[in-house]
Amino acid sequence: MDTLQLLLNAITVIFISSTMFAAGLGATVPALRRAFTDVPLLVLVLLANLVVVPLLGWGLAALLQLATAPFIALLLIACSPGGPFGAKLGMIQRGDVTTGAAMQVLLAAIGSVTFALTANVLLTAADVGGGVSLDVGALVRTVAILQLVPFAIGLLLRHYAADTALSWHPAAVKVSNVTFLIVLAGMLLGSWSDVVDLLGSRALLAGFLFSVLAFGLGTLLSTGSPARRTTMGAVTAVRNLGPALAAIGIAFSDQPAVLGALAAILLSGLCAAIPITAALARRRGEPRS
């Protein structure tokens, strides 16, 4: 792994941690309690992310008759909920950041356990692969260290030292914003050749449509205010890259075709999700700094 890739990985860690830390600083224990005790919301969010969206990925891949590599990549992404970009998109759109961050962390933790089973079932049913076996403990630890711990620290600061938390919040958001842009730029620079190779194929269209439809399903399968519902849409549209990458390494021997398809589908999905959240932000006023 070269120096630039190591640097991008480090910035990605900072992005994830700072985003969740900022979300914790902006949250309150009563608001978090309301989110986790809202049974209809929990049921709908889990249904959307663990059942409906994986089936959506399979359906799109079959409908568009994707080649084997992008077919596998789309299924792996669809089966992996709780991507940290979801919490960021909740911030950008001035949505219900507390509930969005809480649900994103919950989905990432549950998805660490369910990913291998769901991916195996769909890959076998689609007859495009199988045998995805992952270290569930390692995935759970990663979610805890990068997402749950920063969020919990921010939440504790907000609860026990509110003035300090509120004064730190703008700086944490700025770090999240800057690293977000760097990570996006790094993904584009590092994957541009893979994306170019897939131009003219249906893989990029699949990623774009998957993100739009998942955003809509997440918004529909939610409860509460429009801000909360669209935040759940963003959380649903953005999937967790970690388990998918681990599966490609273990079950598909880091095949370049699958890795390239994964990058292309992910980037085309972000090209759909980011404008949607930006449009929502404009409707709700300027985003918080």
Side-chain angles (χ1 to χ4, degrees):
M1 187 177 294
D2 58 30
T3 302
L4 285 178
Q5 186 60 52
L6 287 172
L7 180 61
L8 182 60
N9 289 347
I11 294 172
T12 302
V13 169
I14 295 170
F15 160 67
I16 295 171
S17 301
S18 63
T19 298
M20 299 314 300
F21 181 59
L25 291 174
T28 63
V29 172
L32 204 60
R33 186 181 300 116
R34 284 194 298 271
F36 282 132
T37 55
D38 188 337
V39 175
L41 176 65
L42 282 171
V43 171
L44 287 171
V45 168
L46 292 175
L47 175 66
N49 283 273
L50 300 180
V51 180
V52 177
V53 170
L55 292 175
L56 169 67
W58 182 16
L60 270 178
L63 179 65
L64 295 175
Q65 297 182 328
L66 297 182
T68 300
F71 200 122
I72 291 170
L74 183 57
L75 282 188
L76 293 177
I77 290 172
C79 293
S80 185
F85 278 97
K88 184 61 190 175
L89 294 182
M91 293 179 184
I92 292 173
Q93 65 169 274
R94 288 185 62 105
D96 185 347
V97 177
T98 298
T99 304
M103 293 301 164
Q104 182 254 307
V105 172
L106 176 65
L107 287 167
I110 294 175
S112 298
V113 178
T114 64
F115 169 78
L117 174 62
T118 308
N120 262 328
V121 169
L122 292 189
L123 288 169
T124 301
D127 195 24
V128 291
V132 177
S133 176
L134 302 177
D135 185 342
V136 172
L139 290 175
V140 172
R141 286 194 298 273
T142 300
V143 169
I145 293 170
L146 292 184
Q147 300 182 44
L148 180 58
V149 170
F151 181 75
I153 292 173
L155 182 66
L156 288 171
L157 277 173
R158 177 64 185 267
H159 186 68
Y160 291 107
D163 291 340
T164 300
L166 292 174
S167 67
W168 286 8
H169 187 253
V173 172
K174 287 179 181 177
V175 171
S176 173
N177 289 341
V178 171
T179 52
F180 175 66
L181 293 175
I182 294 173
V183 169
L184 278 182
M187 289 173 62
L188 286 169
L189 291 173
S191 305
W192 70 270
S193 60
D194 298 315
V195 176
V196 169
D197 288 342
L198 289 171
L199 289 177
S201 75
R202 290 181 287 269
L204 297 178
L205 175 62
F208 190 91
L209 290 176
F210 174 79
S211 184
V212 171
L213 293 174
F215 202 115
L217 287 168
T219 301
L220 180 65
L221 294 175
S222 184
T223 62
S225 67
R228 170 184 281 188
R229 296 171 73 94
T230 57
T231 301
M232 293 302 100
V235 169
T236 303
V238 179
R239 314 305 281 174
N240 197 350
L241 189 58
L245 284 174
I248 292 173
I250 294 170
F252 301 101
S253 303
D254 281 326
Q255 292 180 23
V258 182
L259 285 170
L262 184 76
I265 289 170
L266 177 66
L267 287 171
S268 62
L270 287 175
C271 286
I274 291 174
I276 293 173
T277 54
L280 289 169
R282 285 193 295 270
R283 289 180 56 186
R284 294 168 182 162
E286 290 300 318
R288 298 182 185 89
S289 60

